[in-house]
Amino acid sequence: MLKVDPQRPEPDKIRLAASFIRKGGLVAFPTETVYGLGADAFNPKAVLQLFKAKKRPLDNPPIVHVDNSKSVARLAKEVSPSAQRLMEQFWPGPLTLILKRSELVPDVTVAGLDTVAVRMPRHNVALALIRESGCPVAAPSANLAGKPSPTSAEHVSADLDGRIDVVLDAGPTVVGIESTVLDMTVDPPEVLRPGGTTYEMLQNFLGKVKLNPIAVADKPLPLEKVKSPGLKHKHYAPDADVVVVEGRLLAVVAKVNELARFYKLKGSKVGVLGTDETKQEYTADTVKSLGSRDDLTSVARNLFRLFREFDDAGVDIIIAEAVPAEGLGLAVMNRLRKASGYKIVHADASRTE
Ligand code: TXA
Ligand code: MG
């Protein structure tokens, strides 16, 4: 682990990390969303190692990170005017664009698809590393496949120590949830994964944007409907089981406590994931707060860290309170529901399951 200044990364540390990327090695680095595990996107052997280190299925391609939008020309066959405008507006930032791939990109980097995912992260360490490496950097989140994405260097080490060359540690990430994945090969563009750039922001800017059904699903969808390979794999899940309770807040609080009692009687160690407004209402072995319901930015920032803390506390089940599915809340609810394997309880009496 190499501590690095998040604003003004020390050039010698960046040079060292970049030397690993140039040699075909693997470097974990911070972005504004979550930590990524980077490899030279044009080096098929290095990218294959990336999949191996993460134990990631080979059919799920990583996002290719660039340090300026001109680099996209080597990755994509064409950049439409609206893709260009999105880059100007939202880059650097948590927006990944799906574009038709160029033939220069190795097959393994795009998992054999005819499209490529690209983004420019808003983090000086990431940007310096990519620049110094002299190549686009393929980087999935730096967790073992199936684990919650890492929002700190400690999370990366817990999953990947001994499997990668170096971790650049610039402290906890700011957004805490991954980038929004937007498919630009269809008209209107379609959100495949809600994330750090909100649907509302995209809608305001583009006028028309679709939301893929999986982004808002409250049950598993048939696989043929799944357009983004990553979306069909189980994801983001702590080791503990997760149940999400949705509905009006008062009913949710009552239902969470009822479920907590039920699992306690069954002999489980119970965790409750609440919010600042509700946490004092809950009785369980471990109660944690995502932050204020009025501040979805902090809710998003805390989610994956709290998943990992519940696992460290050894709880068997996490009963999680839903938050409004608007703004960043849409991405939070997407991750919560997926983590639960769509075990969703509706608190309002009429819809109790
Ligand atoms: O914020 C982020 O996006 C972080 C940081 C490190 O940049 N990265 C990240 O990467 O979350 P990863 O690999 O964990 O997730 C990439 C997502 C997956 O769901 C993958 O299936 C999808 O992007 N994806 C990649 N290439 C794609 C393509 N050509 N078409 C559709 N989806 C694609
Ligand atoms: Mg991931």
Side-chain angles (χ1 to χ4, degrees), residues 41-44 47 64 71-77 100-113 115-118 136 138:
F42 284 126
N43 180 338
V47 176
V64 179
S71 304
V72 177
R74 287 173 70 209
L75 299 166
K77 198 182 273 171
K100 286 257 182 276
R101 73 181 272 203
S102 123
E103 303 298 328
L104 295 173
V105 186
D107 279 341
V108 62
T109 303
V110 294
L113 299 177
T115 52
V116 61
V118 287

Side-chain angles (χ1 to χ4, degrees), residues 21-309:
I21 301 270
R22 289 164 180 268
K23 281 186 296 204
L26 305 179
V27 175
F29 62 96
T31 77
E32 79 281 36
T33 57
V34 301
Y35 275 71
L37 180 62
D40 177 351
F42 284 126
N43 180 338
K45 274 199 192 129
V47 176
L48 194 60
Q49 281 308 116
L50 189 64
F51 281 95
K52 280 202 184 141
K54 270 187 64 100
K55 303 190 181 166
R56 176 167 171 125
L58 282 167
D59 66 352
N60 187 12
I63 295 168
V64 179
H65 294 65
V66 295
D67 70 328
N68 70 84
S69 43
K70 287 201 197 78
S71 304
V72 177
R74 287 173 70 209
L75 299 166
K77 198 182 273 171
E78 56 183 16
V79 178
S80 67
S82 71
Q84 191 63 47
R85 288 200 319 129
L86 283 164
M87 292 176 196
E88 278 158 26
Q89 175 75 13
F90 293 102
W91 283 8
L95 179 65
T96 294
L97 301 178
I98 306 295
L99 305 169
K100 286 257 182 276
R101 73 181 272 203
S102 123
E103 303 298 328
L104 295 173
V105 186
D107 279 341
V108 62
T109 303
V110 294
L113 299 177
D114 59 2
T115 52
V116 61
V118 287
R119 94 171 184 102
M120 178 174 166
R122 190 169 62 225
H123 197 296
N124 287 348
V125 174
L127 295 172
L129 175 69
I130 300 164
R131 197 169 311 130
E132 186 68 25
S133 299
C135 59
V137 172
S141 50
N143 50 287
L144 280 176
K147 295 274 178 196
S149 290
T151 58
S152 73
E154 287 74 24
H155 298 166
V156 177
S157 291
D159 279 14
L160 297 176
D161 250 4
R163 307 176 69 83
I164 64 180
D165 292 301
V166 63
V167 185
L168 289 173
D169 174 6
T173 60
V174 176
V175 178
I177 226 158
E178 304 91 337
S179 63
T180 301
V181 176
L182 184 67
D183 185 356
M184 296 304 293
T185 68
V186 292
D187 189 22
E190 183 176 29
V191 172
L192 302 182
R193 178 179 75 179
T197 301
T198 66
Y199 179 65
E200 292 86 344
M201 288 161 75
L202 293 173
Q203 210 167 27
N204 278 339
F205 188 74
L206 288 171
K208 243 180 158 183
V209 202
K210 279 205 303 188
L211 254 184
N212 188 273
I214 191 109
V216 286
D218 59 4
K219 49 176 147 353
L221 291 183
L223 278 190
E224 64 270 17
K225 291 226 175 112
V226 177
K227 270 178 48 178
S228 193
L231 304 179
K232 68 186 174 209
H233 298 289
K234 190 170 176 193
H235 239 163
Y236 321 116
D239 294 333
D241 288 335
V242 178
V243 177
V244 185
V245 183
E246 303 187 10
R248 284 178 305 106
L249 191 55
L250 280 179
V252 167
V253 170
K255 180 59 87 178
V256 167
N257 273 326
E258 182 191 320
L259 288 169
R261 276 195 303 276
F262 171 78
Y263 284 106
K264 190 75 209 163
L265 282 173
K266 277 183 34 174
S268 299
K269 186 162 180 193
V270 180
V272 166
L273 185 55
T275 47
D276 288 355
E277 288 81 358
T278 58
K279 65 174 184 236
Q280 65 287 348
E281 310 292 329
Y282 294 130
T283 311
D285 295 302
T286 310
V287 178
K288 293 182 185 290
S289 171
L290 283 163
S292 168
R293 302 181 70 80
D294 295 335
D295 181 9
L296 292 174
T297 308
S298 66
V299 169
R301 187 182 297 144
N302 291 327
L303 179 70
F304 289 144
R305 175 175 55 81
L306 294 178
F307 275 171
R308 284 180 183 259
E309 285 182 15

